[in-house]
Amino acid sequence: MNIVFYFYGMHSWRIILFPFSIIYMIVVWFRNFLYDVSFKKTYPIPGKSICIGNITVGGTGKSPLTSYLTKLLIEENPIILSRGYGRKTKGLIWASEKSTVAEIGDEPLMYWNHFAHKIPVVVSEKRILGVNSIRNSYPNAVILLDDAFQHRAVKAGLNILLMTFNRPVFNDFTFPTGNLRENRSGMKRADVVIVTKCPENLTNEQKQKFYSKLPQNQQDIFFSQIKYGALLPLFQTQEFDFEEAVLVTAIANPDPLYQHLKKQIKVTKMSYPDHHNFNEKDIQQIQQKVATFTQNKIAVITTEKDAVRFRDWEKEINSFQIPIFVQKMDIVIDRENEFINRIKAYVTATNERSC
Protein backbone atom coordinates (compact mmCIF):
# COMPACT_ATOMS: atom_id res chain seq x y z
CA MET A 1 0.00 0.00 0.00
CA ASN A 2 1.45 3.36 -0.99
CA ILE A 3 0.65 5.50 2.06
CA VAL A 4 2.13 8.64 0.53
CA PHE A 5 -0.27 8.30 -2.40
CA TYR A 6 -3.29 8.30 -0.09
CA PHE A 7 -2.00 11.18 2.01
CA TYR A 8 -1.37 13.41 -0.99
CA GLY A 9 -3.57 16.47 -0.80
CA MET A 10 -5.03 15.68 2.62
CA HIS A 11 -5.07 18.15 5.48
CA SER A 12 -1.94 17.66 7.60
CA TRP A 13 -3.90 17.42 10.84
CA ARG A 14 -5.76 14.39 9.56
CA ILE A 15 -2.53 12.45 8.97
CA ILE A 16 -2.01 12.13 12.72
CA LEU A 17 -5.30 10.19 12.84
CA PHE A 18 -3.82 7.44 10.65
CA PRO A 19 -3.66 4.82 13.47
CA PHE A 20 -7.38 5.30 14.09
CA SER A 21 -8.04 4.82 10.37
CA ILE A 22 -6.23 1.47 10.47
CA ILE A 23 -8.34 0.35 13.43
CA TYR A 24 -11.51 1.57 11.72
CA MET A 25 -10.51 -0.17 8.47
CA ILE A 26 -9.96 -3.49 10.24
CA VAL A 27 -13.27 -3.31 12.10
CA VAL A 28 -15.24 -2.50 8.94
CA TRP A 29 -13.33 -5.11 6.92
CA PHE A 30 -14.13 -7.77 9.52
CA ARG A 31 -17.81 -6.78 9.51
CA ASN A 32 -17.95 -7.07 5.72
CA PHE A 33 -16.08 -10.38 5.88
CA LEU A 34 -18.75 -11.81 8.19
CA TYR A 35 -21.39 -10.87 5.62
CA ASP A 36 -19.29 -12.17 2.72
CA VAL A 37 -18.95 -15.63 4.31
CA SER A 38 -22.63 -15.61 5.38
CA PHE A 39 -21.82 -15.67 9.09
CA LYS A 40 -23.98 -12.56 9.34
CA LYS A 41 -27.16 -13.01 7.37
CA THR A 42 -28.26 -10.77 4.53
CA TYR A 43 -31.92 -10.55 3.53
CA PRO A 44 -32.31 -10.51 -0.27
CA ILE A 45 -35.10 -8.03 -1.00
CA PRO A 46 -38.01 -9.70 -2.84
CA GLY A 47 -38.96 -8.14 -6.15
CA LYS A 48 -37.15 -5.22 -7.67
CA SER A 49 -34.96 -2.92 -5.60
CA ILE A 50 -32.18 -0.44 -6.33
CA CYS A 51 -29.67 0.82 -3.78
CA ILE A 52 -28.21 4.31 -4.31
CA GLY A 53 -25.17 4.75 -2.10
CA ASN A 54 -21.51 5.53 -1.71
CA ILE A 55 -18.47 4.62 0.36
CA THR A 56 -17.52 8.26 0.83
CA VAL A 57 -18.68 10.48 3.68
CA GLY A 58 -21.32 12.88 2.33
CA GLY A 59 -21.81 15.03 -0.74
CA THR A 60 -21.72 12.58 -3.67
CA GLY A 61 -25.11 13.45 -5.15
CA LYS A 62 -27.35 10.62 -3.92
CA SER A 63 -30.45 12.81 -3.61
CA PRO A 64 -30.46 14.06 -7.24
CA LEU A 65 -29.94 10.51 -8.51
CA THR A 66 -32.72 9.17 -6.30
CA SER A 67 -35.06 11.82 -7.74
CA TYR A 68 -33.82 11.02 -11.26
CA LEU A 69 -34.57 7.30 -10.83
CA THR A 70 -37.95 8.04 -9.30
CA LYS A 71 -38.94 10.03 -12.39
CA LEU A 72 -37.47 7.40 -14.71
CA LEU A 73 -39.39 4.57 -13.05
CA ILE A 74 -42.61 6.46 -12.39
CA GLU A 75 -44.67 3.83 -14.24
CA GLU A 76 -43.13 1.07 -12.12
CA ASN A 77 -44.57 2.50 -8.90
CA PRO A 78 -41.29 3.45 -7.17
CA ILE A 79 -41.15 3.82 -3.40
CA ILE A 80 -38.29 5.56 -1.62
CA LEU A 81 -36.91 3.91 1.53
CA SER A 82 -34.53 5.95 3.68
CA ARG A 83 -33.00 5.77 7.11
CA GLY A 84 -34.28 9.27 7.81
CA TYR A 85 -30.95 10.68 8.94
CA GLY A 86 -31.24 13.54 11.44
CA ARG A 87 -34.83 12.87 12.45
CA LYS A 88 -35.81 12.95 16.11
CA THR A 89 -37.93 9.81 15.93
CA LYS A 90 -37.20 6.13 15.64
CA GLY A 91 -38.86 3.19 13.99
CA LEU A 92 -40.88 2.78 10.80
CA ILE A 93 -42.79 5.81 9.50
CA TRP A 94 -44.62 6.42 6.23
CA ALA A 95 -44.52 10.04 5.08
CA SER A 96 -47.85 11.88 5.23
CA GLU A 97 -49.22 15.37 4.72
CA LYS A 98 -48.44 16.07 8.38
CA SER A 99 -44.83 14.88 8.24
CA THR A 100 -42.08 17.21 9.45
CA VAL A 101 -38.28 17.26 9.27
CA ALA A 102 -38.15 16.25 12.93
CA GLU A 103 -40.34 13.23 12.22
CA ILE A 104 -38.83 11.80 9.02
CA GLY A 105 -35.67 13.82 8.22
CA ASP A 106 -34.90 16.50 5.66
CA GLU A 107 -34.15 14.36 2.59
CA PRO A 108 -37.23 12.10 2.91
CA LEU A 109 -39.43 15.18 3.37
CA MET A 110 -37.76 16.77 0.35
CA TYR A 111 -38.64 13.69 -1.77
CA TRP A 112 -42.19 13.68 -0.39
CA ASN A 113 -42.72 17.33 -1.31
CA HIS A 114 -40.81 17.16 -4.60
CA PHE A 115 -43.19 14.52 -5.96
CA ALA A 116 -46.26 16.28 -4.59
CA HIS A 117 -47.05 13.51 -2.08
CA LYS A 118 -47.71 11.05 -4.92
CA ILE A 119 -44.64 8.84 -4.39
CA PRO A 120 -44.61 6.92 -1.09
CA VAL A 121 -41.63 7.67 1.13
CA VAL A 122 -40.78 5.39 4.05
CA VAL A 123 -38.16 5.85 6.77
CA SER A 124 -36.74 3.08 8.92
CA GLU A 125 -33.28 2.75 10.46
CA LYS A 126 -33.77 -1.01 10.14
CA ARG A 127 -34.24 -1.32 6.40
CA ILE A 128 -35.64 -4.85 6.62
CA LEU A 129 -38.66 -3.50 8.53
CA GLY A 130 -39.18 -0.89 5.83
CA VAL A 131 -38.83 -3.46 3.07
CA ASN A 132 -41.38 -5.80 4.64
CA SER A 133 -43.83 -2.97 5.26
CA ILE A 134 -43.55 -1.84 1.63
CA ARG A 135 -43.90 -5.36 0.26
CA ASN A 136 -47.02 -5.94 2.37
CA SER A 137 -48.69 -2.89 0.84
CA TYR A 138 -47.02 -2.72 -2.60
CA PRO A 139 -45.75 -6.19 -3.57
CA ASN A 140 -44.72 -5.12 -7.09
CA ALA A 141 -43.23 -1.68 -6.43
CA VAL A 142 -39.60 -0.86 -7.18
CA ILE A 143 -37.92 0.01 -3.89
CA LEU A 144 -35.29 2.75 -4.09
CA LEU A 145 -33.01 2.51 -1.07
CA ASP A 146 -31.42 5.88 -0.40
CA ASP A 147 -27.95 5.59 1.16
CA ALA A 148 -27.96 1.89 2.04
CA PHE A 149 -24.71 0.62 0.48
CA GLN A 150 -23.22 -0.15 3.92
CA HIS A 151 -26.52 -1.49 5.31
CA ARG A 152 -25.74 -5.10 4.47
CA ALA A 153 -28.56 -6.60 6.51
CA VAL A 154 -30.54 -6.28 3.27
CA LYS A 155 -29.40 -6.72 -0.31
CA ALA A 156 -30.85 -4.85 -3.24
CA GLY A 157 -31.15 -6.37 -6.66
CA LEU A 158 -29.08 -3.57 -8.20
CA ASN A 159 -26.42 -1.51 -6.41
CA ILE A 160 -25.42 1.91 -7.74
CA LEU A 161 -22.29 3.44 -6.23
CA LEU A 162 -21.58 7.17 -6.50
CA MET A 163 -18.30 9.04 -6.19
CA THR A 164 -17.42 12.62 -7.08
CA PHE A 165 -15.00 13.47 -9.86
CA ASN A 166 -12.81 15.62 -7.59
CA ARG A 167 -12.79 13.10 -4.73
CA PRO A 168 -12.58 9.66 -6.31
CA VAL A 169 -12.48 6.58 -4.12
CA PHE A 170 -9.12 5.48 -5.52
CA ASN A 171 -7.46 8.69 -4.27
CA ASP A 172 -8.94 8.50 -0.79
CA PHE A 173 -8.39 6.67 2.49
CA THR A 174 -10.61 5.39 5.27
CA PHE A 175 -12.07 7.69 7.89
CA PRO A 176 -10.87 9.66 9.88
CA THR A 177 -7.65 10.22 7.90
CA GLY A 178 -9.64 10.21 4.68
CA ASN A 179 -13.31 10.25 3.77
CA LEU A 180 -14.07 6.59 3.07
CA ARG A 181 -16.70 4.75 5.08
CA GLU A 182 -15.00 1.47 4.22
CA ASN A 183 -12.00 0.25 2.24
CA ARG A 184 -12.14 0.99 -1.47
CA SER A 185 -12.42 -2.76 -2.14
CA GLY A 186 -16.08 -2.30 -1.22
CA MET A 187 -16.58 -0.90 -4.73
CA LYS A 188 -16.71 -4.48 -5.98
CA ARG A 189 -20.22 -4.86 -4.55
CA ALA A 190 -21.49 -2.21 -6.98
CA ASP A 191 -23.21 -3.18 -10.23
CA VAL A 192 -23.08 0.36 -11.61
CA VAL A 193 -20.74 3.27 -10.77
CA ILE A 194 -21.61 6.90 -11.44
CA VAL A 195 -18.89 9.55 -11.23
CA THR A 196 -20.78 12.69 -10.22
CA LYS A 197 -20.16 16.44 -10.37
CA CYS A 198 -17.93 16.13 -13.43
CA PRO A 199 -16.62 19.24 -15.25
CA GLU A 200 -18.36 20.25 -18.46
CA ASN A 201 -15.24 19.71 -20.54
CA LEU A 202 -14.54 16.17 -19.37
CA THR A 203 -12.11 14.51 -21.77
CA ASN A 204 -11.82 10.91 -22.91
CA GLU A 205 -8.41 10.77 -21.25
CA GLN A 206 -9.95 11.69 -17.90
CA LYS A 207 -12.62 9.05 -18.36
CA GLN A 208 -10.01 6.44 -19.18
CA LYS A 209 -8.23 7.21 -15.91
CA PHE A 210 -11.39 6.31 -14.02
CA TYR A 211 -12.01 3.22 -16.13
CA SER A 212 -8.51 1.94 -15.37
CA LYS A 213 -8.76 2.48 -11.60
CA LEU A 214 -12.21 0.97 -10.96
CA PRO A 215 -12.95 -2.78 -10.73
CA GLN A 216 -16.21 -2.50 -12.71
CA ASN A 217 -16.45 -3.07 -16.44
CA GLN A 218 -16.22 0.09 -18.52
CA GLN A 219 -19.82 -0.22 -19.73
CA ASP A 220 -21.02 -0.09 -16.11
CA ILE A 221 -19.27 3.23 -15.33
CA PHE A 222 -21.08 6.47 -16.14
CA PHE A 223 -20.27 10.15 -15.71
CA SER A 224 -22.72 12.84 -14.67
CA GLN A 225 -22.90 16.60 -14.29
CA ILE A 226 -25.07 18.87 -12.21
CA LYS A 227 -27.79 20.64 -14.15
CA TYR A 228 -29.11 23.74 -12.43
CA GLY A 229 -32.68 24.74 -13.14
CA ALA A 230 -34.75 27.76 -12.23
CA LEU A 231 -34.74 29.70 -9.00
CA LEU A 232 -38.17 29.36 -7.43
CA PRO A 233 -39.55 31.41 -4.52
CA LEU A 234 -39.84 29.47 -1.29
CA PHE A 235 -42.97 31.39 -0.36
CA GLN A 236 -45.45 32.48 -3.03
CA THR A 237 -45.55 36.08 -1.80
CA GLN A 238 -41.91 36.72 -2.77
CA GLU A 239 -40.92 38.47 -5.99
CA PHE A 240 -37.89 37.70 -8.12
CA ASP A 241 -36.20 41.10 -7.88
CA PHE A 242 -32.64 41.17 -6.52
CA GLU A 243 -29.11 42.10 -7.57
CA GLU A 244 -27.03 40.17 -5.01
CA ALA A 245 -27.57 36.99 -3.03
CA VAL A 246 -26.57 35.21 0.13
CA LEU A 247 -26.25 31.47 -0.39
CA VAL A 248 -27.36 29.70 2.81
CA THR A 249 -26.80 25.95 2.93
CA ALA A 250 -26.52 23.06 5.36
CA ILE A 251 -25.25 20.42 2.96
CA ALA A 252 -21.99 18.48 2.75
CA ASN A 253 -20.51 20.39 -0.20
CA PRO A 254 -22.09 23.70 -1.24
CA ASP A 255 -19.13 24.79 -3.40
CA PRO A 256 -20.47 23.59 -6.80
CA LEU A 257 -23.66 25.63 -6.29
CA TYR A 258 -21.64 28.61 -5.06
CA GLN A 259 -19.40 28.49 -8.15
CA HIS A 260 -22.47 28.24 -10.39
CA LEU A 261 -24.12 31.30 -8.84
CA LYS A 262 -20.89 33.32 -8.93
CA LYS A 263 -20.99 33.20 -12.72
CA GLN A 264 -24.31 35.07 -12.72
CA ILE A 265 -24.49 37.38 -9.70
CA LYS A 266 -22.49 38.61 -6.76
CA VAL A 267 -22.98 36.03 -4.02
CA THR A 268 -21.90 35.61 -0.40
CA LYS A 269 -21.81 32.19 1.24
CA MET A 270 -23.15 31.16 4.67
CA SER A 271 -22.52 27.48 5.38
CA TYR A 272 -23.86 25.34 8.21
CA PRO A 273 -23.07 21.68 9.01
CA ASP A 274 -24.79 19.04 6.88
CA HIS A 275 -28.41 18.36 8.00
CA HIS A 276 -28.23 21.32 10.42
CA ASN A 277 -31.62 22.20 11.87
CA PHE A 278 -32.08 25.95 11.62
CA ASN A 279 -33.13 27.69 14.82
CA GLU A 280 -34.27 31.19 15.68
CA LYS A 281 -30.70 32.36 16.23
CA ASP A 282 -29.72 31.14 12.75
CA ILE A 283 -32.64 32.98 11.17
CA GLN A 284 -31.62 36.16 12.97
CA GLN A 285 -28.01 35.73 11.80
CA ILE A 286 -29.20 35.38 8.23
CA GLN A 287 -31.38 38.47 8.63
CA GLN A 288 -28.44 40.44 10.03
CA LYS A 289 -26.23 39.31 7.15
CA VAL A 290 -28.81 40.39 4.60
CA ALA A 291 -29.19 43.73 6.39
CA THR A 292 -25.51 44.55 5.74
CA PHE A 293 -26.27 44.82 2.02
CA THR A 294 -27.84 48.26 2.04
CA GLN A 295 -27.02 49.44 -1.47
CA ASN A 296 -28.47 46.70 -3.65
CA LYS A 297 -31.53 44.49 -3.57
CA ILE A 298 -30.63 41.25 -1.86
CA ALA A 299 -32.12 37.75 -1.59
CA VAL A 300 -31.30 34.43 0.04
CA ILE A 301 -30.75 31.36 -2.13
CA THR A 302 -30.84 27.85 -0.72
CA THR A 303 -31.16 24.23 -1.80
CA GLU A 304 -34.24 22.03 -1.99
CA LYS A 305 -33.04 20.01 1.00
CA ASP A 306 -32.49 23.12 3.11
CA ALA A 307 -35.81 24.59 1.98
CA VAL A 308 -37.83 21.97 3.84
CA ARG A 309 -36.20 23.15 7.08
CA PHE A 310 -36.74 26.83 6.29
CA ARG A 311 -40.46 26.21 5.94
CA ASP A 312 -40.65 25.75 9.70
CA TRP A 313 -39.69 29.43 10.02
CA GLU A 314 -42.06 30.95 7.47
CA LYS A 315 -43.61 33.40 9.94
CA GLU A 316 -40.23 34.68 11.19
CA ILE A 317 -38.75 34.94 7.71
CA ASN A 318 -41.74 36.84 6.39
CA SER A 319 -41.56 39.23 9.34
CA PHE A 320 -37.92 39.96 8.46
CA GLN A 321 -38.91 40.39 4.80
CA ILE A 322 -36.14 38.13 3.55
CA PRO A 323 -36.91 36.86 0.05
CA ILE A 324 -35.76 33.24 -0.22
CA PHE A 325 -35.37 31.35 -3.47
CA VAL A 326 -34.76 27.64 -3.97
CA GLN A 327 -32.25 26.45 -6.55
CA LYS A 328 -33.70 23.57 -8.54
CA MET A 329 -31.14 20.96 -9.48
CA ASP A 330 -31.00 17.85 -11.62
CA ILE A 331 -28.32 15.68 -13.17
CA VAL A 332 -27.25 14.92 -16.73
CA ILE A 333 -25.75 11.48 -17.32
CA ASP A 334 -23.25 10.79 -20.07
CA ARG A 335 -24.35 7.89 -22.30
CA GLU A 336 -27.78 8.42 -20.81
CA ASN A 337 -29.57 6.00 -23.12
CA GLU A 338 -27.20 3.22 -22.08
CA PHE A 339 -27.79 4.04 -18.43
CA ILE A 340 -31.57 4.10 -18.86
CA ASN A 341 -31.48 0.80 -20.73
CA ARG A 342 -29.35 -0.69 -17.95
CA ILE A 343 -31.87 0.33 -15.29
CA LYS A 344 -34.96 -0.66 -17.26
CA ALA A 345 -33.45 -4.00 -18.28
CA TYR A 346 -33.09 -4.85 -14.61
CA VAL A 347 -36.54 -3.58 -13.65
CA THR A 348 -38.39 -5.32 -16.48
CA ALA A 349 -36.56 -8.63 -16.21
CA THR A 350 -38.46 -11.61 -14.85
CA ASN A 351 -39.15 -11.00 -11.18
CA GLU A 352 -37.12 -13.12 -8.83
CA ARG A 353 -35.56 -12.75 -5.43
CA SER A 354 -32.24 -10.92 -5.40
CA CYS A 355 -29.34 -13.11 -4.46
Side-chain angles (χ1 to χ4, degrees):
M1 180 184 299
N2 188 342
I3 301 300
V4 175
F5 174 75
Y6 285 113
F7 285 165
Y8 176 76
M10 291 184 179
H11 297 295
S12 58
W13 67 268
R14 298 185 74 174
I15 296 177
I16 66 175
L17 301 175
F18 177 69
F20 299 99
S21 288
I22 296 298
I23 296 172
Y24 176 83
M25 181 193 301
I26 293 172
V27 171
V28 175
W29 174 87
F30 185 66
R31 173 183 177 272
N32 281 327
F33 172 77
L34 294 179
Y35 277 109
D36 292 339
V37 298
S38 300
F39 185 84
K40 291 178 73 70
K41 299 300 181 182
T42 296
Y43 175 64
I45 299 175
K48 299 301 179 178
S49 58
I50 301 175
C51 172
I52 303 102
N54 59 24
I55 61 174
T56 308
V57 178
T60 56
K62 296 185 300 294
S63 298
L65 181 63
T66 300
S67 295
Y68 176 97
L69 291 173
T70 303
K71 295 175 187 176
L72 176 65
L73 301 174
I74 199 71
E75 296 181 357
E76 307 295 335
N77 302 314
I79 296 179
I80 299 172
L81 174 59
S82 171
R83 171 189 173 187
Y85 184 84
R87 64 187 173 124
K88 297 181 180 180
T89 60
K90 292 184 178 181
L92 172 72
I93 300 175
W94 287 69
S96 70
E97 285 78 3
K98 297 181 180 180
S99 292
T100 64
V101 171
E103 182 189 29
I104 66 173
D106 53 8
E107 290 177 350
L109 186 58
M110 177 188 70
Y111 297 136
W112 179 242
N113 291 336
H114 183 84
F115 292 100
H117 304 178
K118 295 179 181 178
I119 300 298
V121 176
V122 182
V123 297
S124 178
E125 62 272 24
K126 294 183 178 180
R127 303 306 204 286
I128 190 170
L129 296 180
V131 166
N132 288 335
S133 179
I134 291 170
R135 282 290 171 252
N136 287 336
S137 300
Y138 299 90
N140 298 319
V142 177
I143 302 176
L144 301 178
L145 295 97
D146 181 28
D147 196 13
F149 196 77
Q150 280 76 42
H151 194 88
R152 299 196 62 186
V154 296
K155 182 177 181 180
L158 187 72
N159 283 289
I160 301 178
L161 177 71
L162 280 66
M163 72 179 74
T164 60
F165 177 83
N166 289 325
R167 197 174 64 182
V169 170
F170 51 75
N171 279 357
D172 212 337
F173 200 72
T174 49
F175 187 82
T177 299
N179 299 294
L180 298 185
R181 297 178 175 182
E182 60 177 291
N183 191 277
R184 59 178 180 167
S185 61
M187 287 189 292
K188 294 179 180 179
R189 301 199 307 273
D191 302 295
V192 174
V193 172
I194 300 182
V195 183
T196 63
K197 303 181 182 180
C198 296
E200 294 182 3
N201 56 346
L202 187 65
T203 65
N204 287 330
E205 289 75 15
Q206 290 172 312
K207 293 179 183 179
Q208 288 299 326
K209 179 180 179 179
F210 276 83
Y211 292 144
S212 66
K213 292 180 180 290
L214 298 177
Q216 284 74 16
N217 294 324
Q218 181 171 323
Q219 64 266 27
D220 293 324
I221 302 171
F222 299 86
F223 298 86
S224 71
Q225 299 172 358
I226 297 173
K227 178 183 178 181
Y228 293 104
L231 286 170
L232 301 178
L234 179 60
F235 306 118
Q236 293 182 354
T237 57
Q238 298 168 341
E239 296 182 0
F240 192 94
D241 183 20
F242 59 91
E243 299 168 343
E244 296 185 39
V246 176
L247 174 62
V248 181
T249 59
I251 58 176
N253 182 18
D255 193 60
L257 176 54
Y258 175 66
Q259 296 299 329
H260 165 73
L261 293 172
K262 274 180 60 177
K263 298 176 183 178
Q264 305 171 60
I265 56 175
K266 185 176 180 180
V267 59
T268 302
K269 183 165 56 174
M270 292 184 69
S271 299
Y272 293 85
D274 195 16
H275 299 284
H276 175 74
N277 286 314
F278 296 108
N279 54 40
E280 187 174 358
K281 182 179 179 181
D282 297 326
I283 301 302
Q284 290 175 346
Q285 287 178 341
I286 296 168
Q287 190 272 338
Q288 291 169 3
K289 185 69 174 180
V290 172
T292 63
F293 295 83
T294 57
Q295 300 300 318
N296 297 324
K297 294 181 179 179
I298 190 79
V300 169
I301 297 176
T302 193
T303 67
E304 287 187 88
K305 188 171 78 169
D306 295 310
V308 298
R309 284 179 261 117
F310 273 124
R311 288 188 181 277
D312 293 336
W313 298 95
E314 180 175 2
K315 181 179 178 180
E316 289 79 4
I317 291 171
N318 285 336
S319 68
F320 289 148
Q321 296 183 331
I322 304 174
I324 297 185
F325 293 87
V326 181
Q327 176 66 70
K328 303 292 288 185
M329 187 177 72
D330 207 338
I331 59 172
V332 176
I333 299 177
D334 187 31
R335 295 166 37 229
E336 184 172 31
N337 287 337
E338 290 183 39
F339 176 74
I340 291 174
N341 290 338
R342 180 78 166 83
I343 300 300
K344 290 194 172 182
Y346 162 72
V347 171
T348 59
T350 303
N351 267 329
E352 57 185 17
R353 289 178 67 93
S354 304
C355 58

